[in-house]
Amino acid sequence: DGGITQSPKYLFRKEGQNVTLSCEQNLNHDAMYWYRQDPGQGLRLIYYSQIVNDFQKGDIAEGYSVSREKKESFPLTVTSAQKNPTAFYLCASSTRRKEKNIQYFGAGTRLSVL
Amino acid sequence: GQSLEQPSEVTAVEGAIVQINCTYQTSGFYGLSWYQQHDGGAPTFLSYNALDGLEETGRFSSFLSRSDSYGYLLLQELQMKDSASYFCAVLARSNYQLIWGAGTKLIIKP
């Protein structure tokens, strides 16, 4: 079955620690995205990538980093510089430059601070 | 700037019809999308309007009026499984990214 897999489902971060969230897709999509969702709020774009080896900052990139070495994978690292990392993180992918830009989402990773 | 406004919560009765509104301020966009998200789950695509007018997909319909900077999602024959949050989003021309509203929580009562 084609889809997007995020892991882990739950993650705990200690003070000063970097943590990496995994996102893998087998939909053969060119574009991938990372969003942050806080309780009762919409999705805010952290980073996006429209092609391998290229990515762009979204609205709230500070304290986060990404890489796109393979088409299928777009990991997100939450660095110690992100002072308020507790949130629900969603990864998505889409076919590049289709008019609708329909995005397909993974099941999410819930990150908490210990 | 670009922003979208939705009601935070709407309550309706099972079997009824409900409309979720979305007003926006944006300099330019390709179209208006709607996504559904159940509690703790992933958003899933529902509908897209590139042009003014009504798009129908089964029990769900979506409407766009660019002159009024306004759109809505209409859900008919409500079922308990429709209890979820609904997000509108515009596809910005500037960077081809979705700009999301804060979402409307739909509560359905028996």
Side-chain angles (χ1 to χ4, degrees):
Chain A
D1 288 337
I4 300 178
T5 302
Q6 288 187 241
S7 63
K9 189 170 182 178
Y10 299 96
L11 186 59
F12 298 91
R13 194 190 88 166
K14 295 180 182 178
E15 199 73 36
Q17 187 182 40
N18 293 352
V19 292
T20 298
L21 284 61
S22 171
C23 178
E24 303 278 331
Q25 56 101 356
N26 60 4
L27 299 169
N28 200 34
H29 285 167
D30 288 305
M32 297 187 74
Y33 314 83
W34 274 105
Y35 292 96
R36 169 177 173 146
Q37 187 175 33
D38 292 283
Q41 297 191 29
L43 281 66
R44 292 186 291 168
L45 184 63
I46 305 173
Y47 269 98
Y48 64 99
S49 168
Q50 297 189 19
I51 198 167
V52 175
N53 291 322
D54 185 54
F55 49 84
Q56 307 295 327
K57 291 183 179 180
D59 300 320
I60 56 165
E62 187 173 347
Y64 301 97
S65 66
V66 293
S67 63
R68 187 86 188 276
E69 297 176 1
K70 298 187 299 181
K71 187 175 184 178
E72 304 79 19
S73 179
F74 191 41
L76 173 74
T77 296
V78 184
T79 75
S80 56
Q82 173 49 248
K83 298 305 180 187
N84 183 25
T86 298
F88 188 45
Y89 290 87
L90 287 159
C91 178
S93 70
S94 69
T95 303
R96 187 181 175 198
R97 291 291 174 181
K98 287 289 186 182
E99 181 196 80
K100 295 181 182 181
N101 193 12
I102 296 174
Q103 296 188 5
Y104 298 85
F105 287 82
T109 293
R110 200 166 295 276
L111 176 62
S112 301
V113 177
L114 288 176
Chain B
Q2 303 183 80
S3 64
L4 293 88
E5 297 287 331
Q6 303 179 235
S8 58
E9 191 176 287
V10 170
T11 301
V13 177
E14 190 176 14
I17 299 173
V18 72
Q19 178 174 310
I20 298 173
N21 297 323
C22 175
T23 58
Y24 57 85
Q25 292 183 344
T26 180
S27 55
F29 66 100
Y30 289 104
L32 180 69
S33 300
W34 288 91
Y35 285 75
Q36 179 192 60
Q37 185 183 30
H38 287 98
D39 276 350
T44 56
F45 172 79
L46 287 178
S47 185
Y48 176 78
N49 292 72
L51 305 174
D52 283 7
L54 195 67
E55 292 283 341
E56 297 181 67
T57 309
R59 295 188 297 114
F60 294 0
S61 302
S62 58
F63 174 82
L64 174 63
S65 169
R66 288 177 184 265
S67 59
D68 295 322
S69 297
Y70 165 73
Y72 65 73
L73 180 69
L74 190 74
L75 296 83
Q76 302 183 70
E77 301 173 16
L78 284 172
Q79 301 175 12
M80 296 305 292
K81 67 178 182 179
D82 297 328
S83 295
S85 291
Y86 292 84
F87 295 87
C88 60
V90 292
L91 185 57
R93 286 190 181 272
S94 58
N95 60 1
Y96 199 68
Q97 296 307 309
L98 287 176
I99 301 167
W100 297 77
T104 298
K105 184 169 185 176
L106 175 61
I107 298 170
I108 300 175
K109 297 184 175 180

